[in-house]
Amino acid sequence: MKHRIRAAALALALLSAGAVRAELNIGVSLSLTGPLSSLGLPLKASLAQWPDTIAGEKVRLTVLDDASDTTGAVKNARRFVTEQVDVILGSSGVPGVLAIAPVATEGRTVQLAFAPAPRPGGPGDWTFVLPQPVSLMSDAVARRMADDGVRRVAFLGWNEGYGEMWLQAFGASARKAGLEIVATERFAPIDTAITAQALKVAGVRPDAVLIVGAGSAAAMPQINLRERGYRGPIYQTHGAGSPDLVRVGGRHMEGTVLPAGPVLVAEQLHAANPVKAVALEYVSAYEKAHGPNTRTQFGAHAHDALKVLQRVVPVALKQARPGTPAFRQALRDALESEKEIVISHGVLNYTPTDHLGFDERGVVMLRIDGGRFRVLPPRQ
């Protein structure tokens, strides 16, 4: 009888052990359709380049389309939490990231965000951001404007999360740099023309205009400005850092200045730059598959998620197995403790109170010259 009980107990133990997955399960919510699809599609293409394993664990990616909609992003995130994924990746845009974050916290599941949503850090925050924070990029733009002799700036930006973040951040950056914001005009990501806003901006005769949009959609307001006679300098944000911007905007984009992640100009980085090797690794693989000059900052965030996981998963595996709450907690702890994680966009140092992690190594200033992005040397 005792032998039968022991056998039954052993069978139950083996069954329980089998319930712990022998794979790393990752849920991905991307904007593959809708106005933010130009951000989500290169992310999906970059995920296709991931290896089959991380730290010896088989990787299972479940990719869902949130259609550039926060309702879709929440629905996807709830499915992932119900399925007890180990990590949530996404979404492609700021609204989607912000919509997923409370679901990730409720499910005590790490979210690696593909858009620069602000995060508070602290014990209640399970979201870690892979793009550079807006405040870092905004300060870089404002300093460059001041160095270029700009004093009066007009703001022309999206009326959603990304645009609002830039409006708030640039107000602070402008004050520090001695700039005056002389007009503030907003438009929706789905707008195809902004005639009224463009005329108002041109009418105040600013020294320069800051356009805030993302992907190819950031070209439309600049085309409208140029077609309505504005000939002054135009600055864009890191959300616009894509070959699609130049493809759609054509000659209207010449001379545009913007901040970007180093990956966009990997070949132009100094040999001593710690980011160069990782950035070139991504660019070489992506452009071998998709052709020359097809890289985007957005797609590179998927590569950076891989680099982060390759650093923290081995640490978490020392504490627990995938598929368990203990493993998800160990992943979060490792993210907050591992230092100098080199990715294609910079170097990350997350802490318990900082889930943004970037410093100035994540910023380069660029100008569009001859239809290409060129690194701008600092003003002397």
Side-chain angles (χ1 to χ4, degrees):
M1 180 67 176
K2 289 182 180 179
H3 290 298
R4 287 199 296 272
I5 292 173
R6 287 198 202 97
L10 178 59
L12 180 61
L14 290 172
L15 182 62
S16 298
V20 178
R21 291 189 305 268
E23 61 185 5
L24 191 65
N25 195 3
I26 300 173
V28 189
S29 182
L30 297 178
S31 302
L32 302 177
T33 56
L36 298 180
S37 60
S38 64
L39 314 184
L41 291 171
L43 279 162
K44 183 180 180 182
S46 300
L47 288 170
Q49 298 178 181
W50 275 32
D52 294 332
T53 62
I54 295 177
E57 300 293 322
K58 181 177 175 57
V59 175
R60 179 185 174 209
L61 290 172
T62 301
V63 181
L64 301 178
D65 180 17
D66 59 36
S68 304
D69 179 67
T70 55
T71 301
V74 170
K75 180 181 178 181
N76 293 345
R78 292 203 179 282
R79 170 179 164 178
F80 295 146
V81 167
T82 299
E83 294 175 353
Q84 296 186 326
V85 301
D86 298 297
V87 182
I88 297 173
L89 304 184
S91 178
S92 315
V94 169
V97 168
L98 293 174
I100 290 171
V103 182
T105 295
E106 180 184 341
R108 300 181 68 81
T109 305
V110 165
Q111 174 193 10
L112 294 179
F114 289 146
R119 300 310 310 156
D125 187 15
W126 284 71
T127 300
F128 296 79
V129 178
L130 292 170
Q132 299 86 341
V134 167
S135 57
L136 180 68
M137 303 306 240
S138 176
D139 282 347
V141 170
R143 286 194 301 267
R144 184 70 202 195
M145 285 180 175
D147 290 345
D148 290 344
V150 172
R151 291 295 176 264
R152 302 172 69 253
V153 185
F155 180 98
L156 180 58
W158 277 356
N159 61 1
E160 49 68 84
Y162 184 65
E164 187 61 29
M165 283 175 12
W166 262 93
L167 181 60
Q168 297 302 318
F170 189 70
S173 299
R175 287 190 292 273
K176 288 188 287 187
L179 306 175
E180 178 187 4
I181 300 176
V182 295
T184 300
E185 295 293 331
R186 312 296 293 277
F187 61 99
I190 60 173
D191 288 346
T192 57
I194 53 162
T195 301
Q197 296 96 318
L199 289 172
K200 289 178 182 178
V201 165
V204 300
R205 299 179 181 272
D207 296 334
V209 176
L210 174 64
I211 292 175
V212 179
S216 58
M220 180 274 295
Q222 185 153 335
I223 294 170
N224 275 228
L225 276 174
R226 293 303 192 205
E227 288 179 343
R228 278 147 191 82
Y230 180 74
R231 295 291 175 261
I234 294 178
Y235 297 75
Q236 292 255 6
T237 71
H238 57 315
S242 163
D244 285 343
L245 182 76
V246 180
R247 177 182 59 79
V248 173
R251 60 184 176 82
H252 297 294
M253 309 312 300
E254 283 295 300
T256 303
V257 174
L258 70 158
V263 68
L264 202 58
V265 286
E267 298 88 346
Q268 299 178 48
L269 300 177
H270 191 277
N273 190 316
V275 177
K276 184 167 187 173
V278 177
L280 284 175
E281 174 187 304
Y282 169 72
V283 169
S284 298
Y286 190 85
E287 297 198 345
K288 180 179 180 181
H290 299 279
N293 198 35
T294 54
R295 79 193 74 174
T296 69
Q297 296 195 105
F298 321 116
H301 296 316
H303 184 72
D304 292 346
L306 171 64
K307 288 300 177 184
V308 169
L309 291 174
Q310 286 176 331
R311 175 70 81 88
V312 300
V313 167
V315 178
L317 285 171
K318 295 177 183 178
Q319 304 297 321
R321 297 295 301 160
T324 64
F327 181 75
R328 295 193 289 273
Q329 181 65 56
L331 277 177
R332 186 181 185 279
D333 293 343
L335 280 163
E336 293 182 340
S337 61
E338 290 295 295
K339 301 304 175 191
E340 295 289 287
I341 304 175
V342 181
I343 61 175
S344 71
H345 273 279
V347 181
L348 294 173
N349 285 283
Y350 299 123
T351 73
T353 57
D354 178 9
H355 287 187
L356 303 178
F358 279 93
D359 57 27
E360 286 73 14
R361 290 174 291 181
V363 187
V364 290
M365 291 301 300
L366 309 179
R367 174 180 283 126
I368 298 175
D369 182 13
R372 302 297 296 270
F373 293 106
R374 312 288 183 185
V375 175
L376 273 176
R379 289 279 190 184
Q380 298 299 321

